[in-house]
mmCIF file of all heavy atoms in Angstrom:
data_model
loop_
_atom_site.group_PDB
_atom_site.id
_atom_site.type_symbol
_atom_site.label_atom_id
_atom_site.label_comp_id
_atom_site.label_asym_id
_atom_site.label_seq_id
_atom_site.Cartn_x
_atom_site.Cartn_y
_atom_site.Cartn_z
ATOM 1 N N SER R 1 74.657 95.688 98.522
ATOM 2 C CA SER R 1 73.983 95.388 97.257
ATOM 3 C C SER R 1 73.212 96.603 96.759
ATOM 4 O O SER R 1 73.157 96.865 95.548
ATOM 5 C CB SER R 1 73.055 94.187 97.429
ATOM 6 O OG SER R 1 73.794 93.010 97.714
ATOM 7 N N ASN R 2 72.619 97.364 97.680
ATOM 8 C CA ASN R 2 71.944 98.596 97.282
ATOM 9 C C ASN R 2 72.932 99.577 96.656
ATOM 10 O O ASN R 2 72.614 100.252 95.673
ATOM 11 C CB ASN R 2 71.269 99.241 98.494
ATOM 12 C CG ASN R 2 70.026 98.499 98.933
ATOM 13 O OD1 ASN R 2 69.394 97.788 98.151
ATOM 14 N ND2 ASN R 2 69.667 98.641 100.196
ATOM 15 N N CYS R 3 74.135 99.657 97.214
ATOM 16 C CA CYS R 3 75.162 100.522 96.622
ATOM 17 C C CYS R 3 75.502 100.069 95.208
ATOM 18 O O CYS R 3 75.612 100.888 94.286
ATOM 19 C CB CYS R 3 76.425 100.511 97.481
ATOM 20 S SG CYS R 3 76.266 101.356 99.074
ATOM 21 N N GLN R 4 75.670 98.766 95.035
ATOM 22 C CA GLN R 4 76.023 98.237 93.721
ATOM 23 C C GLN R 4 74.960 98.572 92.689
ATOM 24 O O GLN R 4 75.268 99.074 91.598
ATOM 25 C CB GLN R 4 76.217 96.727 93.804
ATOM 26 C CG GLN R 4 76.558 96.080 92.464
ATOM 27 C CD GLN R 4 76.645 94.573 92.560
ATOM 28 O OE1 GLN R 4 76.178 93.973 93.513
ATOM 29 N NE2 GLN R 4 77.247 93.948 91.555
ATOM 30 N N HIS R 5 73.698 98.316 93.012
ATOM 31 C CA HIS R 5 72.629 98.561 92.049
ATOM 32 C C HIS R 5 72.342 100.046 91.858
ATOM 33 O O HIS R 5 71.784 100.441 90.834
ATOM 34 C CB HIS R 5 71.368 97.825 92.485
ATOM 35 C CG HIS R 5 71.501 96.328 92.437
ATOM 36 N ND1 HIS R 5 71.710 95.648 91.268
ATOM 37 C CD2 HIS R 5 71.487 95.394 93.420
ATOM 38 C CE1 HIS R 5 71.811 94.347 91.514
ATOM 39 N NE2 HIS R 5 71.675 94.172 92.814
ATOM 40 N N SER R 6 72.714 100.865 92.847
ATOM 41 C CA SER R 6 72.552 102.314 92.724
ATOM 42 C C SER R 6 73.727 102.953 91.994
ATOM 43 O O SER R 6 73.752 104.175 91.823
ATOM 44 C CB SER R 6 72.417 102.942 94.116
ATOM 45 O OG SER R 6 71.346 102.387 94.843
ATOM 46 N N HIS R 7 74.708 102.129 91.594
ATOM 47 C CA HIS R 7 75.908 102.601 90.886
ATOM 48 C C HIS R 7 76.677 103.623 91.720
ATOM 49 O O HIS R 7 77.140 104.657 91.211
ATOM 50 C CB HIS R 7 75.523 103.183 89.520
ATOM 51 C CG HIS R 7 74.759 102.226 88.660
ATOM 52 N ND1 HIS R 7 75.318 101.096 88.103
ATOM 53 C CD2 HIS R 7 73.441 102.201 88.294
ATOM 54 C CE1 HIS R 7 74.405 100.429 87.422
ATOM 55 N NE2 HIS R 7 73.257 101.072 87.516
ATOM 56 N N LEU R 8 76.811 103.312 93.012
ATOM 57 C CA LEU R 8 77.607 104.128 93.919
ATOM 58 C C LEU R 8 78.813 103.290 94.333
ATOM 59 O O LEU R 8 78.675 102.296 95.054
ATOM 60 C CB LEU R 8 76.778 104.539 95.142
ATOM 61 C CG LEU R 8 75.527 105.372 94.839
ATOM 62 C CD1 LEU R 8 74.759 105.661 96.116
ATOM 63 C CD2 LEU R 8 75.887 106.671 94.114
ATOM 64 N N ALA R 9 79.984 103.692 93.876
ATOM 65 C CA ALA R 9 81.160 102.831 94.013
ATOM 66 C C ALA R 9 82.138 103.285 95.091
ATOM 67 O O ALA R 9 83.146 102.616 95.320
ATOM 68 C CB ALA R 9 81.896 102.752 92.672
ATOM 69 N N ASP R 10 81.861 104.404 95.764
ATOM 70 C CA ASP R 10 82.731 104.864 96.847
ATOM 71 C C ASP R 10 82.025 104.584 98.170
ATOM 72 O O ASP R 10 81.102 105.326 98.565
ATOM 73 C CB ASP R 10 83.042 106.354 96.698
ATOM 74 C CG ASP R 10 83.911 106.623 95.480
ATOM 75 O OD1 ASP R 10 85.062 106.146 95.465
ATOM 76 O OD2 ASP R 10 83.431 107.294 94.543
ATOM 77 N N VAL R 11 82.435 103.512 98.815
ATOM 78 C CA VAL R 11 81.728 103.026 100.002
ATOM 79 C C VAL R 11 82.727 102.816 101.126
ATOM 80 O O VAL R 11 83.705 102.065 100.975
ATOM 81 C CB VAL R 11 80.991 101.697 99.704
ATOM 82 C CG1 VAL R 11 80.248 101.221 100.943
ATOM 83 C CG2 VAL R 11 80.036 101.866 98.522
ATOM 84 N N TRP R 12 82.501 103.479 102.245
ATOM 85 C CA TRP R 12 83.317 103.298 103.444
ATOM 86 C C TRP R 12 82.499 102.554 104.490
ATOM 87 O O TRP R 12 81.322 102.875 104.708
ATOM 88 C CB TRP R 12 83.752 104.647 104.012
ATOM 89 C CG TRP R 12 84.649 105.447 103.102
ATOM 90 C CD1 TRP R 12 85.146 105.067 101.887
ATOM 91 C CD2 TRP R 12 85.130 106.769 103.340
ATOM 92 N NE1 TRP R 12 85.920 106.057 101.358
ATOM 93 C CE2 TRP R 12 85.937 107.125 102.224
ATOM 94 C CE3 TRP R 12 84.982 107.676 104.367
ATOM 95 C CZ2 TRP R 12 86.568 108.356 102.125
ATOM 96 C CZ3 TRP R 12 85.611 108.912 104.290
ATOM 97 C CH2 TRP R 12 86.403 109.252 103.172
ATOM 98 N N VAL R 13 83.105 101.583 105.141
ATOM 99 C CA VAL R 13 82.431 100.802 106.171
ATOM 100 C C VAL R 13 83.150 101.023 107.492
ATOM 101 O O VAL R 13 84.331 100.690 107.633
ATOM 102 C CB VAL R 13 82.414 99.297 105.823
ATOM 103 C CG1 VAL R 13 81.740 98.493 106.941
ATOM 104 C CG2 VAL R 13 81.681 99.065 104.501
ATOM 105 N N SER R 14 82.447 101.594 108.445
ATOM 106 C CA SER R 14 83.001 101.839 109.771
ATOM 107 C C SER R 14 82.747 100.624 110.655
ATOM 108 O O SER R 14 81.599 100.229 110.865
ATOM 109 C CB SER R 14 82.351 103.084 110.386
ATOM 110 O OG SER R 14 82.686 103.208 111.747
ATOM 111 N N VAL R 15 83.819 100.004 111.153
ATOM 112 C CA VAL R 15 83.686 98.806 111.991
ATOM 113 C C VAL R 15 84.325 99.075 113.345
ATOM 114 O O VAL R 15 85.212 99.912 113.485
ATOM 115 C CB VAL R 15 84.345 97.581 111.336
ATOM 116 C CG1 VAL R 15 83.710 97.274 110.004
ATOM 117 C CG2 VAL R 15 85.842 97.779 111.175
ATOM 118 N N GLN R 16 83.863 98.340 114.363
ATOM 119 C CA GLN R 16 84.417 98.530 115.697
ATOM 120 C C GLN R 16 84.452 97.218 116.470
ATOM 121 O O GLN R 16 85.511 96.776 116.902
ATOM 122 C CB GLN R 16 83.613 99.584 116.451
ATOM 123 C CG GLN R 16 84.158 99.920 117.826
ATOM 124 C CD GLN R 16 83.711 101.281 118.310
ATOM 125 O OE1 GLN R 16 84.284 102.298 117.973
ATOM 126 N NE2 GLN R 16 82.661 101.286 119.120
ATOM 127 N N PHE R 17 83.322 96.583 116.663
ATOM 128 C CA PHE R 17 83.257 95.356 117.437
ATOM 129 C C PHE R 17 83.478 94.135 116.544
ATOM 130 O O PHE R 17 82.903 94.038 115.462
ATOM 131 C CB PHE R 17 81.899 95.239 118.138
ATOM 132 C CG PHE R 17 81.687 96.270 119.210
ATOM 133 C CD1 PHE R 17 81.108 97.487 118.918
ATOM 134 C CD2 PHE R 17 82.092 96.023 120.510
ATOM 135 C CE1 PHE R 17 80.913 98.445 119.898
ATOM 136 C CE2 PHE R 17 81.909 96.972 121.499
ATOM 137 C CZ PHE R 17 81.321 98.189 121.202
ATOM 138 N N HIS R 18 84.306 93.211 116.990
ATOM 139 C CA HIS R 18 84.595 91.974 116.259
ATOM 140 C C HIS R 18 84.880 92.257 114.780
ATOM 141 O O HIS R 18 84.223 91.695 113.888
ATOM 142 C CB HIS R 18 83.422 90.996 116.378
ATOM 143 C CG HIS R 18 83.018 90.711 117.785
ATOM 144 N ND1 HIS R 18 83.866 90.115 118.690
ATOM 145 C CD2 HIS R 18 81.862 90.937 118.449
ATOM 146 C CE1 HIS R 18 83.242 89.977 119.852
ATOM 147 N NE2 HIS R 18 82.035 90.479 119.732
ATOM 148 N N PRO R 19 85.838 93.116 114.471
ATOM 149 C CA PRO R 19 86.046 93.510 113.070
ATOM 150 C C PRO R 19 86.472 92.367 112.165
ATOM 151 O O PRO R 19 86.192 92.396 110.968
ATOM 152 C CB PRO R 19 87.143 94.577 113.169
ATOM 153 C CG PRO R 19 87.852 94.296 114.452
ATOM 154 C CD PRO R 19 86.793 93.782 115.382
ATOM 155 N N THR R 20 87.143 91.354 112.722
ATOM 156 C CA THR R 20 87.606 90.259 111.864
ATOM 157 C C THR R 20 86.441 89.528 111.223
ATOM 158 O O THR R 20 86.481 89.156 110.042
ATOM 159 C CB THR R 20 88.463 89.271 112.674
ATOM 160 O OG1 THR R 20 89.573 89.981 113.243
ATOM 161 C CG2 THR R 20 88.990 88.154 111.787
ATOM 162 N N SER R 21 85.360 89.318 112.001
ATOM 163 C CA SER R 21 84.205 88.593 111.459
ATOM 164 C C SER R 21 83.626 89.296 110.249
ATOM 165 O O SER R 21 83.143 88.651 109.315
ATOM 166 C CB SER R 21 83.129 88.442 112.544
ATOM 167 O OG SER R 21 82.614 89.706 112.939
ATOM 168 N N LEU R 22 83.687 90.626 110.247
ATOM 169 C CA LEU R 22 83.139 91.392 109.127
ATOM 170 C C LEU R 22 84.147 91.503 107.985
ATOM 171 O O LEU R 22 83.792 91.361 106.815
ATOM 172 C CB LEU R 22 82.731 92.783 109.605
ATOM 173 C CG LEU R 22 81.967 93.641 108.604
ATOM 174 C CD1 LEU R 22 80.698 92.938 108.140
ATOM 175 C CD2 LEU R 22 81.625 94.990 109.212
ATOM 176 N N SER R 23 85.412 91.720 108.325
ATOM 177 C CA SER R 23 86.431 91.881 107.279
ATOM 178 C C SER R 23 86.561 90.619 106.428
ATOM 179 O O SER R 23 86.738 90.701 105.209
ATOM 180 C CB SER R 23 87.781 92.230 107.911
ATOM 181 O OG SER R 23 87.717 93.489 108.551
ATOM 182 N N LEU R 24 86.472 89.448 107.057
ATOM 183 C CA LEU R 24 86.535 88.203 106.301
ATOM 184 C C LEU R 24 85.415 88.119 105.278
ATOM 185 O O LEU R 24 85.593 87.649 104.159
ATOM 186 C CB LEU R 24 86.470 87.007 107.256
ATOM 187 C CG LEU R 24 87.713 86.760 108.121
ATOM 188 C CD1 LEU R 24 87.424 85.663 109.133
ATOM 189 C CD2 LEU R 24 88.912 86.397 107.261
ATOM 190 N N HIS R 25 84.239 88.602 105.667
ATOM 191 C CA HIS R 25 83.090 88.538 104.761
ATOM 192 C C HIS R 25 83.201 89.565 103.642
ATOM 193 O O HIS R 25 82.811 89.290 102.500
ATOM 194 C CB HIS R 25 81.795 88.753 105.538
ATOM 195 C CG HIS R 25 80.578 88.723 104.680
ATOM 196 N ND1 HIS R 25 80.092 87.567 104.107
ATOM 197 C CD2 HIS R 25 79.747 89.712 104.256
ATOM 198 C CE1 HIS R 25 79.012 87.838 103.389
ATOM 199 N NE2 HIS R 25 78.785 89.137 103.462
ATOM 200 N N LEU R 26 83.741 90.734 103.941
ATOM 201 C CA LEU R 26 83.765 91.804 102.941
ATOM 202 C C LEU R 26 84.644 91.467 101.740
ATOM 203 O O LEU R 26 84.360 91.928 100.627
ATOM 204 C CB LEU R 26 84.242 93.107 103.594
ATOM 205 C CG LEU R 26 83.269 93.729 104.598
ATOM 206 C CD1 LEU R 26 83.885 94.957 105.253
ATOM 207 C CD2 LEU R 26 81.945 94.090 103.937
ATOM 208 N N ALA R 27 85.701 90.700 101.949
ATOM 209 C CA ALA R 27 86.514 90.204 100.826
ATOM 210 C C ALA R 27 86.907 91.311 99.853
ATOM 211 O O ALA R 27 86.799 91.159 98.636
ATOM 212 C CB ALA R 27 85.751 89.096 100.082
ATOM 213 N N ASN R 28 87.346 92.448 100.409
ATOM 214 C CA ASN R 28 87.789 93.592 99.586
ATOM 215 C C ASN R 28 86.691 94.153 98.687
ATOM 216 O O ASN R 28 86.968 94.884 97.741
ATOM 217 C CB ASN R 28 89.006 93.213 98.732
ATOM 218 C CG ASN R 28 90.209 92.849 99.581
ATOM 219 O OD1 ASN R 28 90.450 93.481 100.603
ATOM 220 N ND2 ASN R 28 90.933 91.828 99.179
ATOM 221 N N GLY R 29 85.449 93.797 98.961
ATOM 222 C CA GLY R 29 84.336 94.351 98.192
ATOM 223 C C GLY R 29 84.015 93.628 96.909
ATOM 224 O O GLY R 29 83.130 94.050 96.153
ATOM 225 N N ARG R 30 84.690 92.524 96.634
ATOM 226 C CA ARG R 30 84.520 91.852 95.342
ATOM 227 C C ARG R 30 83.079 91.422 95.050
ATOM 228 O O ARG R 30 82.606 91.610 93.926
ATOM 229 C CB ARG R 30 85.460 90.654 95.245
ATOM 230 C CG ARG R 30 85.355 89.902 93.913
ATOM 231 C CD ARG R 30 86.445 88.868 93.778
ATOM 232 N NE ARG R 30 87.763 89.497 93.800
ATOM 233 C CZ ARG R 30 88.899 88.814 93.811
ATOM 234 N NH1 ARG R 30 88.887 87.495 93.810
ATOM 235 N NH2 ARG R 30 90.058 89.457 93.818
ATOM 236 N N PRO R 31 82.343 90.837 96.008
ATOM 237 C CA PRO R 31 80.986 90.372 95.664
ATOM 238 C C PRO R 31 80.057 91.489 95.190
ATOM 239 O O PRO R 31 79.062 91.216 94.517
ATOM 240 C CB PRO R 31 80.486 89.757 96.978
ATOM 241 C CG PRO R 31 81.724 89.388 97.728
ATOM 242 C CD PRO R 31 82.705 90.464 97.392
ATOM 243 N N TRP R 32 80.382 92.750 95.543
ATOM 244 C CA TRP R 32 79.517 93.883 95.179
ATOM 245 C C TRP R 32 80.194 94.798 94.158
ATOM 246 O O TRP R 32 79.811 95.956 94.010
ATOM 247 C CB TRP R 32 79.162 94.665 96.451
ATOM 248 C CG TRP R 32 78.625 93.749 97.506
ATOM 249 C CD1 TRP R 32 77.339 93.303 97.644
ATOM 250 C CD2 TRP R 32 79.389 93.112 98.538
ATOM 251 N NE1 TRP R 32 77.255 92.438 98.705
ATOM 252 C CE2 TRP R 32 78.486 92.293 99.273
ATOM 253 C CE3 TRP R 32 80.729 93.152 98.915
ATOM 254 C CZ2 TRP R 32 78.902 91.520 100.364
ATOM 255 C CZ3 TRP R 32 81.141 92.383 99.990
ATOM 256 C CH2 TRP R 32 80.239 91.591 100.706
#
């Protein structure tokens, strides 16, 4: 949300442990 309000649209998320739990939530970035 900080990225969205800061108008920064190039965001990489590094995941490692239990990646499915996070990927399901990220939803391709649509909420942000």
Side-chain angles (χ1 to χ4, degrees):
S1 295
N2 286 336
C3 290
Q4 179 184 16
H5 294 296
S6 303
H7 304 291
L8 299 177
D10 292 296
V11 181
W12 296 357
V13 178
S14 170
V15 300
Q16 184 158 277
F17 293 90
H18 306 298
T20 302
S21 64
L22 188 57
S23 295
L24 289 173
H25 179 71
L26 291 176
N28 297 321
R30 181 171 299 174
W32 308 276

